[in-house]
Amino acid sequence: MHELQEVLPRDTIYSVDVHSLGYASFAEFPIYDPRNFLHPNIGVALGYSYPAALGAKIAYPNRPVVCFSGDGRFLMGAMEMATAMRYGINVITIVINDDCLSIIKGFQQKGFDGRTIDTDLQNPNFVEFAHSFGAYAKRVENLEDFKLTLRDAIAAEKPALIEVRMHEYQDEMIDSIGWLNDFSLWKTHF
Protein backbone atom coordinates (compact mmCIF):
# COMPACT_ATOMS: atom_id res chain seq x y z
CA MET A 1 0.00 0.00 0.00
CA HIS A 2 2.85 2.37 0.71
CA GLU A 3 4.24 1.83 -2.80
CA LEU A 4 0.93 3.08 -4.20
CA GLN A 5 1.37 6.41 -2.47
CA GLU A 6 5.03 6.64 -3.49
CA VAL A 7 4.17 6.23 -7.18
CA LEU A 8 0.72 7.82 -7.52
CA PRO A 9 -0.19 11.48 -7.00
CA ARG A 10 -2.01 12.70 -3.91
CA ASP A 11 -5.32 13.20 -5.76
CA THR A 12 -5.59 9.52 -6.76
CA ILE A 13 -9.01 7.98 -6.09
CA TYR A 14 -8.87 4.55 -4.43
CA SER A 15 -11.78 2.15 -4.68
CA VAL A 16 -11.20 -0.56 -2.10
CA ASP A 17 -13.21 -3.74 -1.83
CA VAL A 18 -14.01 -5.88 1.18
CA HIS A 19 -10.92 -8.07 1.54
CA SER A 20 -8.21 -8.62 4.15
CA LEU A 21 -5.74 -6.06 2.81
CA GLY A 22 -8.63 -3.71 2.10
CA TYR A 23 -9.39 -3.65 5.82
CA ALA A 24 -5.73 -2.92 6.53
CA SER A 25 -5.95 0.12 4.26
CA PHE A 26 -8.19 1.84 6.83
CA ALA A 27 -5.33 2.08 9.29
CA GLU A 28 -2.31 2.22 6.99
CA PHE A 29 -3.45 4.41 4.13
CA PRO A 30 -3.84 8.13 4.71
CA ILE A 31 -6.47 9.84 2.59
CA TYR A 32 -6.08 13.60 2.30
CA ASP A 33 -9.23 14.78 0.54
CA PRO A 34 -12.93 13.91 0.50
CA ARG A 35 -14.15 11.41 -2.12
CA ASN A 36 -10.70 9.92 -2.66
CA PHE A 37 -11.43 6.66 -0.79
CA LEU A 38 -14.41 4.59 -1.96
CA HIS A 39 -15.50 1.61 0.14
CA PRO A 40 -18.84 -0.17 0.65
CA ASN A 41 -18.81 0.59 4.39
CA ILE A 42 -22.21 -0.20 5.83
CA GLY A 43 -23.64 -2.56 3.22
CA VAL A 44 -20.35 -4.39 2.64
CA ALA A 45 -21.36 -5.05 -0.97
CA LEU A 46 -19.06 -7.69 -2.37
CA GLY A 47 -17.65 -6.85 -5.78
CA TYR A 48 -18.15 -3.12 -5.27
CA SER A 49 -14.71 -1.75 -6.04
CA TYR A 50 -14.26 -2.37 -9.77
CA PRO A 51 -17.59 -0.93 -10.96
CA ALA A 52 -17.19 1.95 -8.46
CA ALA A 53 -13.69 2.66 -9.79
CA LEU A 54 -15.02 2.83 -13.35
CA GLY A 55 -17.69 5.30 -12.24
CA ALA A 56 -15.11 7.41 -10.41
CA LYS A 57 -12.89 7.53 -13.49
CA ILE A 58 -15.82 8.66 -15.64
CA ALA A 59 -16.61 11.37 -13.08
CA TYR A 60 -12.95 12.45 -12.77
CA PRO A 61 -11.26 11.48 -16.06
CA ASN A 62 -8.09 13.49 -15.36
CA ARG A 63 -7.35 11.84 -12.01
CA PRO A 64 -5.77 8.42 -11.50
CA VAL A 65 -8.17 5.80 -10.19
CA VAL A 66 -7.05 2.54 -8.58
CA CYS A 67 -9.26 -0.44 -7.81
CA PHE A 68 -7.87 -2.52 -4.92
CA SER A 69 -9.67 -5.85 -4.67
CA GLY A 70 -9.41 -9.44 -3.63
CA ASP A 71 -9.70 -12.19 -6.23
CA GLY A 72 -13.24 -13.29 -5.40
CA ARG A 73 -14.51 -9.73 -5.13
CA PHE A 74 -12.96 -8.71 -8.44
CA LEU A 75 -14.58 -11.67 -10.20
CA MET A 76 -18.01 -10.43 -9.10
CA GLY A 77 -17.64 -7.38 -11.36
CA ALA A 78 -14.88 -8.53 -13.73
CA MET A 79 -17.15 -8.55 -16.77
CA GLU A 80 -17.01 -4.75 -16.62
CA MET A 81 -13.50 -4.96 -18.07
CA ALA A 82 -15.27 -5.12 -21.44
CA THR A 83 -16.89 -1.76 -20.62
CA ALA A 84 -13.57 -0.30 -19.52
CA MET A 85 -11.90 -1.32 -22.77
CA ARG A 86 -14.77 -0.24 -25.00
CA TYR A 87 -14.91 3.26 -23.51
CA GLY A 88 -11.25 3.73 -22.60
CA ILE A 89 -11.86 3.91 -18.85
CA ASN A 90 -8.24 3.67 -17.73
CA VAL A 91 -8.51 2.29 -14.22
CA ILE A 92 -5.61 0.41 -12.66
CA THR A 93 -6.89 -2.72 -10.93
CA ILE A 94 -4.84 -4.51 -8.30
CA VAL A 95 -6.12 -8.02 -7.60
CA ILE A 96 -4.84 -9.68 -4.43
CA ASN A 97 -5.05 -13.35 -5.37
CA ASP A 98 -4.98 -15.68 -2.38
CA ASP A 99 -7.27 -18.27 -4.04
CA CYS A 100 -10.02 -17.88 -1.47
CA LEU A 101 -12.72 -15.66 -0.06
CA SER A 102 -10.41 -14.87 2.84
CA ILE A 103 -12.79 -12.97 5.13
CA ILE A 104 -15.55 -15.56 4.76
CA LYS A 105 -13.03 -18.38 5.19
CA GLY A 106 -11.63 -16.76 8.33
CA PHE A 107 -15.13 -16.21 9.70
CA GLN A 108 -15.96 -19.88 9.14
CA GLN A 109 -12.67 -21.06 10.67
CA LYS A 110 -13.21 -18.98 13.82
CA GLY A 111 -16.89 -19.77 14.23
CA PHE A 112 -16.97 -23.44 13.25
CA ASP A 113 -13.89 -25.04 14.80
CA GLY A 114 -11.73 -24.66 11.70
CA ARG A 115 -14.31 -26.08 9.28
CA THR A 116 -14.95 -24.23 6.02
CA ILE A 117 -17.14 -24.74 2.99
CA ASP A 118 -17.06 -23.15 -0.46
CA THR A 119 -14.46 -20.50 0.31
CA ASP A 120 -11.57 -21.80 -1.81
CA LEU A 121 -11.69 -20.45 -5.35
CA GLN A 122 -10.96 -21.88 -8.77
CA ASN A 123 -9.57 -18.67 -10.27
CA PRO A 124 -8.86 -17.92 -13.89
CA ASN A 125 -5.46 -16.78 -15.00
CA PHE A 126 -6.11 -13.10 -14.28
CA VAL A 127 -3.36 -11.89 -16.60
CA GLU A 128 -4.72 -13.91 -19.53
CA PHE A 129 -8.24 -12.78 -18.64
CA ALA A 130 -7.26 -9.10 -18.84
CA HIS A 131 -5.18 -9.66 -21.98
CA SER A 132 -8.20 -11.27 -23.65
CA PHE A 133 -9.91 -7.85 -23.48
CA GLY A 134 -6.77 -6.02 -24.66
CA ALA A 135 -5.90 -4.56 -21.26
CA TYR A 136 -2.41 -4.21 -19.82
CA ALA A 137 -1.84 -7.04 -17.35
CA LYS A 138 1.02 -8.42 -15.33
CA ARG A 139 1.45 -10.79 -12.40
CA VAL A 140 3.62 -9.87 -9.42
CA GLU A 141 5.14 -12.91 -7.73
CA ASN A 142 7.83 -10.99 -5.84
CA LEU A 143 6.51 -7.97 -3.92
CA GLU A 144 9.74 -6.10 -4.64
CA ASP A 145 8.60 -5.91 -8.29
CA PHE A 146 5.29 -4.23 -7.47
CA LYS A 147 6.42 -0.60 -7.77
CA LEU A 148 7.94 -1.08 -11.23
CA THR A 149 4.87 -3.00 -12.39
CA LEU A 150 2.63 -0.19 -11.14
CA ARG A 151 4.68 2.36 -13.09
CA ASP A 152 4.36 0.21 -16.22
CA ALA A 153 0.58 -0.01 -15.73
CA ILE A 154 0.35 3.78 -15.49
CA ALA A 155 2.49 4.21 -18.61
CA ALA A 156 0.25 1.81 -20.57
CA GLU A 157 -2.50 4.49 -20.62
CA LYS A 158 -5.26 1.91 -20.90
CA PRO A 159 -7.22 -0.29 -18.49
CA ALA A 160 -4.72 -2.28 -16.47
CA LEU A 161 -4.70 -5.23 -14.09
CA ILE A 162 -1.93 -6.18 -11.70
CA GLU A 163 -2.34 -9.58 -10.08
CA VAL A 164 -0.45 -9.98 -6.80
CA ARG A 165 -0.07 -13.64 -5.88
CA MET A 166 -0.58 -14.08 -2.13
CA HIS A 167 -1.68 -17.71 -1.81
CA GLU A 168 1.22 -18.61 0.45
CA TYR A 169 0.18 -15.77 2.80
CA GLN A 170 -3.47 -16.82 3.07
CA ASP A 171 -3.35 -17.56 6.82
CA GLU A 172 -1.45 -14.36 7.62
CA MET A 173 -3.94 -12.32 5.61
CA ILE A 174 -6.86 -13.86 7.49
CA ASP A 175 -5.08 -13.24 10.81
CA SER A 176 -4.55 -9.58 9.87
CA ILE A 177 -8.29 -8.82 9.98
CA GLY A 178 -8.64 -7.12 13.36
CA TRP A 179 -12.37 -7.53 13.95
CA LEU A 180 -12.19 -11.20 12.96
CA ASN A 181 -9.58 -11.92 15.62
CA ASP A 182 -11.71 -10.50 18.43
CA PHE A 183 -14.08 -13.46 18.70
CA SER A 184 -16.16 -11.86 21.46
CA LEU A 185 -16.77 -8.76 19.34
CA TRP A 186 -18.13 -10.40 16.22
CA LYS A 187 -19.90 -13.30 17.90
CA THR A 188 -22.30 -10.84 19.55
CA HIS A 189 -23.02 -9.15 16.21
CA PHE A 190 -23.44 -12.14 13.88
Side-chain angles (χ1 to χ4, degrees), residues 103-146:
I103 294 173
I104 297 169
K105 186 173 188 171
F107 184 86
Q108 289 179 5
Q109 288 172 333
K110 301 281 184 184
F112 300 99
D113 299 319
R115 294 186 316 270
T116 64
I117 186 169
D118 296 330
T119 56
D120 294 315
L121 299 174
Q122 179 63 48
N123 284 328
N125 181 317
F126 286 103
V127 171
E128 289 179 8
F129 175 82
H131 281 159
S132 73
F133 290 99
Y136 169 89
K138 190 161 184 184
R139 180 175 297 112
V140 172
E141 303 271 359
N142 182 343
L143 294 179
E144 293 174 5
D145 298 332
F146 178 78

Short mmCIF file of all heavy atoms in Angstrom, two decimals, residues 103-146:
data_model
loop_
_atom_site.label_atom_id
_atom_site.label_comp_id
_atom_site.label_asym_id
_atom_site.label_seq_id
_atom_site.Cartn_x
_atom_site.Cartn_y
_atom_site.Cartn_z
N ILE A 103 -12.02 -13.40 3.95
CA ILE A 103 -12.79 -12.97 5.13
C ILE A 103 -13.84 -14.01 5.49
O ILE A 103 -14.00 -14.36 6.67
CB ILE A 103 -13.42 -11.60 4.88
CG1 ILE A 103 -12.32 -10.54 4.74
CG2 ILE A 103 -14.39 -11.23 5.99
CD1 ILE A 103 -12.82 -9.17 4.33
N ILE A 104 -14.54 -14.54 4.48
CA ILE A 104 -15.55 -15.56 4.76
C ILE A 104 -14.89 -16.83 5.28
O ILE A 104 -15.38 -17.46 6.23
CB ILE A 104 -16.40 -15.83 3.50
CG1 ILE A 104 -17.15 -14.55 3.10
CG2 ILE A 104 -17.36 -16.99 3.72
CD1 ILE A 104 -17.82 -14.61 1.75
N LYS A 105 -13.75 -17.19 4.71
CA LYS A 105 -13.03 -18.38 5.19
C LYS A 105 -12.59 -18.19 6.64
O LYS A 105 -12.76 -19.08 7.47
CB LYS A 105 -11.82 -18.65 4.30
CG LYS A 105 -11.11 -19.93 4.64
CD LYS A 105 -10.02 -20.25 3.62
CE LYS A 105 -9.45 -21.62 3.85
NZ LYS A 105 -8.55 -22.03 2.76
N GLY A 106 -12.04 -17.03 6.96
CA GLY A 106 -11.63 -16.76 8.33
C GLY A 106 -12.80 -16.78 9.30
O GLY A 106 -12.70 -17.31 10.41
N PHE A 107 -13.91 -16.22 8.88
CA PHE A 107 -15.13 -16.21 9.70
C PHE A 107 -15.57 -17.64 9.99
O PHE A 107 -15.90 -17.99 11.13
CB PHE A 107 -16.23 -15.43 8.96
CG PHE A 107 -17.49 -15.26 9.73
CD1 PHE A 107 -17.64 -14.21 10.61
CD2 PHE A 107 -18.54 -16.14 9.55
CE1 PHE A 107 -18.82 -14.05 11.33
CE2 PHE A 107 -19.72 -15.97 10.25
CZ PHE A 107 -19.86 -14.93 11.14
N GLN A 108 -15.57 -18.48 8.95
CA GLN A 108 -15.96 -19.88 9.14
C GLN A 108 -14.96 -20.61 10.04
O GLN A 108 -15.37 -21.37 10.93
CB GLN A 108 -16.07 -20.59 7.79
CG GLN A 108 -17.25 -20.16 6.97
CD GLN A 108 -17.31 -20.86 5.62
OE1 GLN A 108 -16.52 -21.75 5.32
NE2 GLN A 108 -18.27 -20.45 4.80
N GLN A 109 -13.67 -20.39 9.84
CA GLN A 109 -12.67 -21.06 10.67
C GLN A 109 -12.84 -20.70 12.14
O GLN A 109 -12.76 -21.57 13.01
CB GLN A 109 -11.26 -20.66 10.22
CG GLN A 109 -10.84 -21.26 8.92
CD GLN A 109 -9.52 -20.71 8.41
OE1 GLN A 109 -9.14 -19.57 8.72
NE2 GLN A 109 -8.81 -21.50 7.62
N LYS A 110 -13.08 -19.43 12.42
CA LYS A 110 -13.21 -18.98 13.82
C LYS A 110 -14.52 -19.47 14.44
O LYS A 110 -14.55 -19.82 15.62
CB LYS A 110 -13.18 -17.45 13.89
CG LYS A 110 -11.93 -16.82 13.35
CD LYS A 110 -10.79 -16.90 14.32
CE LYS A 110 -9.60 -16.16 13.73
NZ LYS A 110 -8.43 -16.25 14.53
N GLY A 111 -15.58 -19.46 13.67
CA GLY A 111 -16.89 -19.77 14.23
C GLY A 111 -17.27 -21.23 14.21
O GLY A 111 -18.21 -21.64 14.91
N PHE A 112 -16.56 -22.05 13.41
CA PHE A 112 -16.97 -23.44 13.25
C PHE A 112 -15.79 -24.40 13.41
O PHE A 112 -15.62 -25.34 12.63
CB PHE A 112 -17.65 -23.63 11.89
CG PHE A 112 -18.87 -22.76 11.74
CD1 PHE A 112 -18.79 -21.57 11.03
CD2 PHE A 112 -20.07 -23.11 12.34
CE1 PHE A 112 -19.90 -20.75 10.90
CE2 PHE A 112 -21.18 -22.29 12.22
CZ PHE A 112 -21.10 -21.10 11.51
N ASP A 113 -14.98 -24.14 14.43
CA ASP A 113 -13.89 -25.04 14.80
C ASP A 113 -12.99 -25.42 13.63
O ASP A 113 -12.62 -26.58 13.47
CB ASP A 113 -14.45 -26.30 15.47
CG ASP A 113 -15.22 -25.99 16.75
OD1 ASP A 113 -14.76 -25.12 17.51
OD2 ASP A 113 -16.30 -26.60 16.95
N GLY A 114 -12.66 -24.43 12.80
CA GLY A 114 -11.73 -24.66 11.70
C GLY A 114 -12.35 -25.19 10.43
O GLY A 114 -11.67 -25.31 9.41
N ARG A 115 -13.64 -25.53 10.47
CA ARG A 115 -14.31 -26.08 9.28
C ARG A 115 -14.69 -24.94 8.33
O ARG A 115 -15.12 -23.88 8.76
CB ARG A 115 -15.55 -26.86 9.67
CG ARG A 115 -15.26 -28.12 10.46
CD ARG A 115 -16.51 -28.96 10.71
NE ARG A 115 -17.67 -28.20 11.12
CZ ARG A 115 -17.99 -27.90 12.38
NH1 ARG A 115 -17.21 -28.29 13.37
NH2 ARG A 115 -19.08 -27.23 12.66
N THR A 116 -14.54 -25.19 7.04
CA THR A 116 -14.95 -24.23 6.02
C THR A 116 -15.68 -24.95 4.90
O THR A 116 -15.54 -26.17 4.73
CB THR A 116 -13.74 -23.49 5.41
OG1 THR A 116 -12.92 -24.43 4.72
CG2 THR A 116 -12.93 -22.76 6.46
N ILE A 117 -16.46 -24.19 4.17
CA ILE A 117 -17.14 -24.74 2.99
C ILE A 117 -17.22 -23.65 1.93
O ILE A 117 -17.52 -22.49 2.23
CB ILE A 117 -18.55 -25.28 3.36
CG1 ILE A 117 -19.18 -25.98 2.14
CG2 ILE A 117 -19.45 -24.19 3.91
CD1 ILE A 117 -20.43 -26.77 2.47
N ASP A 118 -16.90 -24.01 0.72
CA ASP A 118 -17.06 -23.15 -0.46
C ASP A 118 -16.37 -21.80 -0.35
O ASP A 118 -16.90 -20.79 -0.82
CB ASP A 118 -18.55 -22.96 -0.78
CG ASP A 118 -19.22 -24.28 -1.17
OD1 ASP A 118 -18.52 -25.15 -1.73
OD2 ASP A 118 -20.41 -24.45 -0.91
N THR A 119 -15.19 -21.76 0.24
CA THR A 119 -14.46 -20.50 0.31
C THR A 119 -13.18 -20.52 -0.52
O THR A 119 -12.61 -19.47 -0.78
CB THR A 119 -14.09 -20.15 1.77
OG1 THR A 119 -13.35 -21.23 2.34
CG2 THR A 119 -15.34 -19.87 2.59
N ASP A 120 -12.73 -21.71 -0.93
CA ASP A 120 -11.57 -21.80 -1.81
C ASP A 120 -12.04 -21.61 -3.24
O ASP A 120 -13.08 -22.14 -3.65
CB ASP A 120 -10.86 -23.14 -1.63
CG ASP A 120 -10.24 -23.27 -0.25
OD1 ASP A 120 -9.61 -22.29 0.21
OD2 ASP A 120 -10.39 -24.33 0.37
N LEU A 121 -11.28 -20.83 -4.00
CA LEU A 121 -11.69 -20.45 -5.35
C LEU A 121 -10.94 -21.21 -6.43
O LEU A 121 -9.79 -21.58 -6.24
CB LEU A 121 -11.46 -18.95 -5.56
CG LEU A 121 -12.22 -18.01 -4.62
CD1 LEU A 121 -11.77 -16.58 -4.84
CD2 LEU A 121 -13.72 -18.16 -4.83
N GLN A 122 -11.59 -21.39 -7.55
CA GLN A 122 -10.96 -21.88 -8.77
C GLN A 122 -10.84 -20.66 -9.69
O GLN A 122 -11.75 -20.35 -10.44
CB GLN A 122 -11.81 -22.98 -9.42
CG GLN A 122 -11.23 -23.51 -10.71
CD GLN A 122 -9.89 -24.18 -10.49
OE1 GLN A 122 -9.75 -25.00 -9.59
NE2 GLN A 122 -8.92 -23.84 -11.31
N ASN A 123 -9.74 -19.93 -9.55
CA ASN A 123 -9.57 -18.67 -10.27
C ASN A 123 -9.10 -18.87 -11.70
O ASN A 123 -8.38 -19.83 -11.99
CB ASN A 123 -8.56 -17.78 -9.54
CG ASN A 123 -9.14 -17.14 -8.32
OD1 ASN A 123 -10.32 -16.85 -8.27
ND2 ASN A 123 -8.32 -16.93 -7.32
N PRO A 124 -9.45 -17.93 -12.56
CA PRO A 124 -8.86 -17.92 -13.89
C PRO A 124 -7.43 -17.40 -13.81
O PRO A 124 -7.00 -16.92 -12.76
CB PRO A 124 -9.74 -16.92 -14.65
CG PRO A 124 -10.14 -15.94 -13.60
CD PRO A 124 -10.34 -16.77 -12.35
N ASN A 125 -6.73 -17.46 -14.89
CA ASN A 125 -5.46 -16.78 -15.00
C ASN A 125 -5.82 -15.30 -15.22
O ASN A 125 -6.28 -14.93 -16.30
CB ASN A 125 -4.66 -17.34 -16.17
CG ASN A 125 -3.32 -16.68 -16.33
OD1 ASN A 125 -3.18 -15.46 -16.22
ND2 ASN A 125 -2.31 -17.48 -16.61
N PHE A 126 -5.66 -14.49 -14.20
CA PHE A 126 -6.11 -13.10 -14.28
C PHE A 126 -5.38 -12.30 -15.36
O PHE A 126 -5.98 -11.43 -16.00
CB PHE A 126 -5.97 -12.41 -12.92
CG PHE A 126 -7.00 -12.84 -11.93
CD1 PHE A 126 -6.66 -13.74 -10.92
CD2 PHE A 126 -8.30 -12.37 -11.99
CE1 PHE A 126 -7.61 -14.14 -10.00
CE2 PHE A 126 -9.25 -12.77 -11.08
CZ PHE A 126 -8.91 -13.66 -10.08
N VAL A 127 -4.12 -12.60 -15.57
CA VAL A 127 -3.36 -11.89 -16.60
C VAL A 127 -3.92 -12.24 -17.98
O VAL A 127 -4.17 -11.34 -18.80
CB VAL A 127 -1.85 -12.21 -16.49
CG1 VAL A 127 -1.08 -11.66 -17.68
CG2 VAL A 127 -1.30 -11.66 -15.18
N GLU A 128 -4.13 -13.52 -18.25
CA GLU A 128 -4.72 -13.91 -19.53
C GLU A 128 -6.13 -13.35 -19.69
O GLU A 128 -6.53 -12.95 -20.78
CB GLU A 128 -4.72 -15.43 -19.68
CG GLU A 128 -3.34 -16.01 -19.88
CD GLU A 128 -3.35 -17.52 -20.00
OE1 GLU A 128 -4.44 -18.13 -20.06
OE2 GLU A 128 -2.25 -18.10 -20.02
N PHE A 129 -6.89 -13.33 -18.61
CA PHE A 129 -8.24 -12.78 -18.64
C PHE A 129 -8.20 -11.32 -19.09
O PHE A 129 -8.92 -10.92 -20.01
CB PHE A 129 -8.88 -12.89 -17.24
CG PHE A 129 -10.22 -12.24 -17.12
CD1 PHE A 129 -11.36 -12.89 -17.56
CD2 PHE A 129 -10.35 -10.97 -16.57
CE1 PHE A 129 -12.61 -12.29 -17.45
CE2 PHE A 129 -11.59 -10.36 -16.46
CZ PHE A 129 -12.72 -11.03 -16.90
N ALA A 130 -7.36 -10.52 -18.47
CA ALA A 130 -7.26 -9.10 -18.84
C ALA A 130 -6.73 -8.93 -20.25
O ALA A 130 -7.22 -8.09 -21.01
CB ALA A 130 -6.39 -8.36 -17.83
N HIS A 131 -5.72 -9.72 -20.62
CA HIS A 131 -5.18 -9.66 -21.98
C HIS A 131 -6.25 -9.98 -23.01
O HIS A 131 -6.24 -9.43 -24.11
CB HIS A 131 -4.01 -10.60 -22.15
CG HIS A 131 -2.73 -10.08 -21.59
ND1 HIS A 131 -1.67 -10.93 -21.27
CD2 HIS A 131 -2.30 -8.84 -21.30
CE1 HIS A 131 -0.67 -10.21 -20.80
NE2 HIS A 131 -1.03 -8.94 -20.81
N SER A 132 -7.17 -10.88 -22.68
CA SER A 132 -8.20 -11.27 -23.65
C SER A 132 -9.10 -10.08 -24.03
O SER A 132 -9.71 -10.08 -25.09
CB SER A 132 -9.04 -12.44 -23.12
OG SER A 132 -9.92 -12.02 -22.09
N PHE A 133 -9.16 -9.07 -23.17
CA PHE A 133 -9.91 -7.85 -23.48
C PHE A 133 -9.03 -6.79 -24.15
O PHE A 133 -9.53 -5.79 -24.62
CB PHE A 133 -10.50 -7.24 -22.20
CG PHE A 133 -11.62 -8.04 -21.61
CD1 PHE A 133 -11.39 -8.91 -20.56
CD2 PHE A 133 -12.91 -7.93 -22.11
CE1 PHE A 133 -12.41 -9.65 -20.01
CE2 PHE A 133 -13.95 -8.67 -21.57
CZ PHE A 133 -13.70 -9.53 -20.53
N GLY A 134 -7.71 -7.00 -24.12
CA GLY A 134 -6.77 -6.02 -24.66
C GLY A 134 -6.19 -5.10 -23.62
O GLY A 134 -5.51 -4.13 -23.94
N ALA A 135 -6.41 -5.39 -22.35
CA ALA A 135 -5.90 -4.56 -21.26
C ALA A 135 -4.43 -4.88 -20.99
O ALA A 135 -3.94 -5.96 -21.32
CB ALA A 135 -6.72 -4.80 -19.99
N TYR A 136 -3.75 -3.94 -20.35
CA TYR A 136 -2.41 -4.21 -19.82
C TYR A 136 -2.59 -5.14 -18.63
O TYR A 136 -3.50 -4.95 -17.81
CB TYR A 136 -1.74 -2.92 -19.36
CG TYR A 136 -0.47 -3.18 -18.57
CD1 TYR A 136 0.75 -3.29 -19.23
CD2 TYR A 136 -0.50 -3.36 -17.19
CE1 TYR A 136 1.92 -3.57 -18.52
CE2 TYR A 136 0.65 -3.64 -16.48
CZ TYR A 136 1.86 -3.74 -17.15
OH TYR A 136 3.00 -4.02 -16.45
N ALA A 137 -1.75 -6.15 -18.50
CA ALA A 137 -1.84 -7.04 -17.35
C ALA A 137 -0.48 -7.66 -17.06
O ALA A 137 0.27 -8.01 -17.97
CB ALA A 137 -2.86 -8.14 -17.59
N LYS A 138 -0.22 -7.79 -15.76
CA LYS A 138 1.02 -8.42 -15.33
C LYS A 138 0.81 -9.02 -13.94
O LYS A 138 0.08 -8.49 -13.13
CB LYS A 138 2.16 -7.40 -15.29
CG LYS A 138 3.51 -8.02 -15.09
CD LYS A 138 4.62 -7.10 -15.49
CE LYS A 138 5.94 -7.85 -15.36
NZ LYS A 138 7.05 -6.97 -15.65
N ARG A 139 1.51 -10.12 -13.71
CA ARG A 139 1.45 -10.79 -12.40
C ARG A 139 2.70 -10.42 -11.60
O ARG A 139 3.80 -10.42 -12.13
CB ARG A 139 1.40 -12.30 -12.59
CG ARG A 139 1.35 -13.10 -11.31
CD ARG A 139 1.17 -14.59 -11.56
NE ARG A 139 -0.10 -14.84 -12.23
CZ ARG A 139 -0.22 -15.27 -13.49
NH1 ARG A 139 0.84 -15.53 -14.23
NH2 ARG A 139 -1.41 -15.47 -14.01
N VAL A 140 2.51 -10.14 -10.33
CA VAL A 140 3.62 -9.87 -9.42
C VAL A 140 3.74 -11.07 -8.49
O VAL A 140 2.84 -11.37 -7.72
CB VAL A 140 3.37 -8.58 -8.60
CG1 VAL A 140 4.43 -8.40 -7.53
CG2 VAL A 140 3.32 -7.37 -9.51
N GLU A 141 4.86 -11.77 -8.61
CA GLU A 141 5.14 -12.91 -7.73
C GLU A 141 6.02 -12.47 -6.57
O GLU A 141 5.92 -12.99 -5.48
CB GLU A 141 5.84 -14.02 -8.51
CG GLU A 141 5.08 -14.52 -9.72
CD GLU A 141 4.12 -15.66 -9.42
OE1 GLU A 141 4.06 -16.10 -8.25
OE2 GLU A 141 3.44 -16.09 -10.35
N ASN A 142 6.90 -11.51 -6.83
CA ASN A 142 7.83 -10.99 -5.84
C ASN A 142 7.39 -9.55 -5.52
O ASN A 142 7.37 -8.69 -6.40
CB ASN A 142 9.25 -11.00 -6.40
CG ASN A 142 10.28 -10.52 -5.42
OD1 ASN A 142 9.96 -9.87 -4.43
ND2 ASN A 142 11.53 -10.82 -5.70
N LEU A 143 7.04 -9.29 -4.29
CA LEU A 143 6.51 -7.97 -3.92
C LEU A 143 7.48 -6.83 -4.20
O LEU A 143 7.07 -5.69 -4.36
CB LEU A 143 6.08 -7.96 -2.45
CG LEU A 143 4.90 -8.88 -2.12
CD1 LEU A 143 4.58 -8.81 -0.63
CD2 LEU A 143 3.69 -8.53 -2.95
N GLU A 144 8.76 -7.14 -4.30
CA GLU A 144 9.74 -6.10 -4.64
C GLU A 144 9.54 -5.57 -6.07
O GLU A 144 10.00 -4.48 -6.39
CB GLU A 144 11.16 -6.65 -4.48
CG GLU A 144 11.51 -6.94 -3.03
CD GLU A 144 12.86 -7.62 -2.89
OE1 GLU A 144 13.58 -7.77 -3.90
OE2 GLU A 144 13.19 -8.00 -1.75
N ASP A 145 8.84 -6.32 -6.91
CA ASP A 145 8.60 -5.91 -8.29
C ASP A 145 7.33 -5.07 -8.44
O ASP A 145 7.04 -4.59 -9.53
CB ASP A 145 8.47 -7.15 -9.20
CG ASP A 145 9.74 -7.97 -9.22
OD1 ASP A 145 10.83 -7.39 -9.02
OD2 ASP A 145 9.65 -9.20 -9.43
N PHE A 146 6.59 -4.90 -7.36
CA PHE A 146 5.29 -4.23 -7.47
C PHE A 146 5.41 -2.78 -7.97
O PHE A 146 4.67 -2.37 -8.85
CB PHE A 146 4.55 -4.25 -6.13
CG PHE A 146 3.23 -3.54 -6.19
CD1 PHE A 146 2.14 -4.14 -6.79
CD2 PHE A 146 3.09 -2.25 -5.71
CE1 PHE A 146 0.93 -3.48 -6.88
CE2 PHE A 146 1.89 -1.58 -5.80
CZ PHE A 146 0.81 -2.20 -6.39
#
